[in-house]
Structures are given as structure tokens and as C-alpha cells.
Amino acid sequence: YTNHLASLLKDGRISQAQLDRMVADILRVKFRMGLFDDPYTRPESFPAIANEQHLALAREAALQSLVLLKNEGDILPLRPAYLGSLAVIGPLADDGYEQMGTWVFDGNSALSRTPYQALLAACKDSKCGNLSFVKALENSRSRSTESFAEALAAAESSDAVVLFLGEEAILSGEAHSRADISLPGSQAELVRTLKQSGKPLIAVIMAGRPLTLGNIIDEVDALLFAWHPGSMGGPAIVDVLLGSEAPSGKLPATFPRMVGQIPIYYNQKQTGKPATREKFVHLDDIPVRLPQSSSGFESHHLDAGFTPQFPFGFGLSYTTFEYSDIEVDSREVPVGDTVTVRATLKNTGLVEATEVVQLYVRDLAGNVTRPVRELKGFQRVRLAPGQSRRVEFRLGPADLAFYGRDQRLVTEPGEFHVWIGGDSNAELSTSFTLTTP
């Protein structure tokens, strides 16, 4: 643009008419936005930095992004029996800079409210008792174990332990790939050390990417994933830990069991030999000197299997939800028309909570191969205990279209399967057929 546009115009490779059209599009948008009505900004009219409204929005955004991945024995929310004394441990428990995450060049860490700060405030309000804090690691990459004895002592003298682990912000983002996406540094060793205390372990993972958590998943009682939760991440996390709010976040990416499973994603293409639970045999279960055969010739890894650690769309709550009575308004729908899919969602637990209801579709056949499932819609539905609601999705021509071999968007007649549920492994399903008008 800067170096070559004039010469491109001169050589006739770009015409003046083309340039005018492109400039006109930009000007048109600016006129519609009113930028030429009052072209001068007035800083005195700007809202105050970190005003209460903005902080409330930041807190709500962080709250909705938190994903509960494990909650053994319903350890969360923390009950009064565990709140007499609480050990807060980890390099990310009180680091306002790192919780802001990647791509915050103008971020001000002084405005951040950390989990440790939020827990201190909650304890002043008599929601919990004594707090002890041990950083244990200088940062997420540290390999030193020098402070582990102090951390273990704090855990042993407390009723429960909340660990804040994960990745520093600089480890995520553009050009910051990692070949090993387990917890960096000595964090996994810290978890194993604290396991010796015998106290309930609650791990809060702050990171910007899916991580392989197999080296700690069995060591912790609860696991909450926070996607670099931002300036108000601390209060949002504490809202969930103490039960003021039930978690409702769902995973926006698949979590592999180990890095060798990558690429692994929910909307994959069907293989010629898809794996099944009935046929899968783990390498530890293969008899020694078993003769070579076609047994196990399916698409899986002998050690990792064929399922992820956590599937796309997954996320637990403090209640349970039941899906039932799925239906479509018509089994046969002419191409170009809309089909409506409905199901009943019921809160079968004891806590009011929000569920992210998800709709998945599979086109069984196309002129190019189609994914096994595709997310086509989701809704946030809040229900009181025992409450039910009929949830409805509409699928139009654009939802069922794809780019064919000629790279043109097309909606083809044929059979479609559809699922409604809480993640990409939803089982409640029905089907419909698109017909030629």
C-alpha cells in the first residue's frame, strides 16, 4: 500500500475506479458511525478507567469463561468444614500481571484483583477463616523446589489447599507454540508434593491454551480452568470456589491426553476404520508375543486411545442437567427451508445454575467428506432446581451449507443427524432429511 500503490495505479494493475470503490466503502462506514459529525474527541467525556460498570462486566466475562473440569466428591464449592483454614499456594495466586493474559499491551496490572486478594476480602466477610499463602514457585516455568517444604507445611496445617498454576501470559499467543503442553517447570512435582498432605487439593489452572493435564488429573480433587481471566479474574474465581456462583463455562477447544494425540478436534472427518470402545485394546493389555493380526487396526493410539482428556464443549456445574424429548418439526424438509429442533432441559440438582445448551449437526453424505459433528448453535439457559424448559434451535439453509469440490457454497439434499446436549459428545439425537424442492 505505502510503497507500491502509486506504481500499481500508474502501471494499470489497479484502476482509479477500483481505488475509489474501496475508499468509498471506508468513508461510508465512517459516515454511518457519525465520525464526521464530530471529528474531535473529548477526553473529559470518556468514562473513567476501571469504573464500577466496566469492572462488573470484566468480572462477568471472567465468570462465564471459567470451566470446571473435575469435582471429585463435590469438593467444590468449598464447604464450611474446609474454610476454617485454607492454604493458597502457587505462582499465579497473587500475580495481577500474569492473569491479564496475552495481547494486553496497555494493560495496567495495578487494576487487577488477584485470587489471593479476593480470598482475603472474602475471609474478612466471614466466608472463610485463616489464610496462609506460599508462592512455592517464582513463576510458572521455575524448576526450583526450594520452597516445596514450606508449601507442604502450609497444606498440612490447613483444612484444604487451593493451587493456582498454569502458564505465564508470555507463553501464549502468536509465535509462542510449545511442543510440550503439560504444565511447565516444576508445577506437576509441586502437586505431587502437596498430595502427601492428605488434604483436599483444588487446582485452578490459568492458561491461554489447552494443556495436557494427565500428570496431575488424578492427584487433585477438583480442577477449574481459567483462560487468562483478566483484571477481575480473582473475584470471579472466588465466586465459584465459595459457591456464590455456579460455573457455566464450556471448553472452546479439545484437551488431548498427551501431545502425541494432536491434531485432535471434535469436528474431524470420519476415517475408514473408526475406533470403538469395544475394539480398543491398550498397549498394557496386549499379551506378550501376541501373533501379528488385524486386531486393533482402527484409528487410535495404543497408549492414548482415541478419546481426548476433555471434549470440546465440556464443562461441569454444581448441579446436574438432564436432556430429553428431542424432536424436529418435520422429518422431511425441502432444500432452502428452515427446520426447528427442540429438546427439554431440566435442572435435576439442588443448585440454580446456567447450562450452555449446544446443537450439533452431521451431514451424512456430501460431494466432499463432511465432519462427524459440527456445532451449529448454543444457548445459555438458567434454571432453578427442578425447573424444566423447552429449548429451540432453528437451522436454515446457511447452517446446512458447505463448500463443495468447485469451491462454491451448496446445500445438498440428504439425511442429517442432529444432537442437543451439554458438549460435543451429546447422545440425545434425532434426524431429518433435506429433499429436492
Side-chain angles (χ1 to χ4, degrees):
Y1 173 82
T2 302
N3 297 329
H4 303 290
L5 185 57
S7 60
L8 290 170
L9 280 168
K10 182 179 178 180
D11 295 342
R13 295 176 63 183
I14 294 178
S15 70
Q16 186 67 47
Q18 285 178 299
L19 184 60
D20 289 346
R21 281 198 301 273
M22 289 186 284
V23 172
D25 287 338
I26 296 172
L27 293 175
R28 187 180 302 110
V29 172
K30 289 186 174 183
F31 274 114
R32 287 177 178 174
M33 294 178 66
L35 296 183
F36 295 111
D37 298 336
D38 187 3
Y40 302 105
T41 59
R42 294 183 173 83
E44 66 274 9
S45 66
F46 292 172
I49 296 295
N51 64 69
E52 289 304 313
Q53 181 183 6
H54 291 178
L55 291 176
L57 286 172
R59 185 171 183 163
E60 180 63 23
L63 179 65
Q64 290 190 18
S65 73
L66 300 176
V67 186
L68 183 62
L69 297 178
K70 181 181 180 181
N71 195 17
E72 195 74 28
D74 293 331
I75 191 70
L76 290 180
L78 286 168
R79 297 184 291 275
Y82 297 121
L83 293 175
S85 59
L86 198 62
V88 180
I89 298 173
L92 299 179
D94 194 30
D95 195 325
Y97 176 82
E98 299 298 352
Q99 75 183 47
M100 290 191 299
T102 309
W103 297 110
V104 285
F105 299 109
D106 57 351
N108 183 357
S109 60
L111 299 175
S112 293
R113 300 184 188 178
T114 69
Y116 180 57
Q117 291 169 352
L119 280 168
L120 283 174
C123 289
K124 288 181 181 178
D125 295 336
S126 301
K127 291 183 180 178
C128 59
N130 297 323
L131 282 183
S132 57
F133 171 50
V134 179
K135 193 172 182 179
L137 294 165
E138 188 58 33
N139 55 59
S140 70
R141 291 169 284 166
S142 174
R143 297 189 178 280
S144 171
T145 61
E146 184 178 346
S147 298
F148 282 17
E150 181 187 359
L152 179 59
E156 290 174 336
S157 62
S158 300
D159 296 320
V161 180
V162 184
L163 268 163
F164 291 89
L165 308 171
E167 293 180 324
E168 298 153 71
I170 194 62
L171 300 186
S172 296
E174 184 178 0
H176 289 168
S177 298
R178 293 178 58 206
D180 178 2
I181 55 171
S182 60
L183 288 171
S186 298
Q187 295 183 78
E189 186 176 349
L190 174 62
V191 174
R192 291 190 291 270
T193 298
L194 297 177
K195 183 70 174 178
Q196 300 172 25
S197 70
K199 302 300 174 67
L201 293 184
I202 298 97
V204 180
I205 308 296
M206 295 184 186
R209 61 161 57 84
L211 298 174
T212 55
L213 301 169
N215 56 352
I216 69 161
I217 194 69
D218 294 329
E219 309 295 329
V220 299
D221 299 283
L223 185 61
L224 186 68
F225 205 91
W227 299 91
H228 286 323
S231 57
M232 291 296 286
I237 290 169
V238 171
D239 282 344
V240 169
L241 293 179
L242 300 184
S244 301
E245 295 284 349
S248 63
K250 301 286 188 173
L251 290 182
T254 302
F255 276 42
R257 295 181 184 276
M258 55 184 69
V259 74
Q261 283 188 301
I262 296 172
I264 184 170
Y265 47 94
Y266 87 97
N267 56 340
Q268 62 190 353
K269 300 294 184 68
Q270 185 69 288
T271 70
K273 295 182 178 180
T276 64
R277 295 184 184 277
E278 293 75 21
K279 293 183 178 181
F280 171 66
V281 179
H282 192 275
L283 66 85
D284 291 338
D285 298 322
I286 298 175
V288 176
R289 297 192 181 279
L290 177 72
Q292 289 292 333
S293 70
S294 60
S295 174
F297 277 18
E298 291 87 31
S299 298
H300 64 252
H301 296 87
L302 290 177
D303 48 0
F306 60 95
T307 61
Q309 184 78 67
F310 299 105
F312 176 90
F314 178 80
L316 301 173
S317 177
Y318 289 159
T319 190
T320 53
F321 292 100
E322 178 182 88
Y323 290 85
S324 63
D325 303 323
I326 190 171
E327 64 176 5
V328 291
D329 59 354
S330 177
R331 289 285 185 177
E332 294 190 354
V333 183
V335 172
D337 283 5
T338 297
V339 59
T340 301
V341 190
R342 300 180 181 89
T344 298
L345 175 69
K346 182 177 182 179
N347 183 342
T348 55
L350 303 176
V351 176
E352 181 175 339
T354 297
E355 170 73 334
V356 179
V357 182
Q358 300 161 48
L359 173 76
Y360 293 88
V361 166
R362 181 180 182 187
D363 183 355
L364 265 63
N367 73 74
V368 296
T369 55
R370 308 298 302 126
V372 294
R373 293 194 187 192
E374 294 178 279
L375 178 69
K376 291 298 181 180
F378 62 90
Q379 298 178 26
R380 293 180 60 85
V381 180
R382 190 167 186 86
L383 296 176
Q387 184 181 5
S388 298
R389 186 175 302 173
R390 198 73 174 149
V391 183
E392 178 178 297
F393 294 92
R394 292 185 178 181
L395 290 169
D399 298 311
L400 305 176
F402 63 94
Y403 285 92
R405 281 179 289 179
D406 59 1
Q407 298 303 307
R408 294 183 180 180
L409 199 61
V410 61
T411 305
E412 294 183 344
E415 185 178 359
F416 289 77
H417 289 177
V418 58
W419 295 262
I420 292 180
D423 59 51
S424 57
N425 285 341
E427 297 181 353
L428 185 68
S429 67
T430 186
S431 64
F432 63 89
T433 301
L434 284 185
T435 61
T436 303

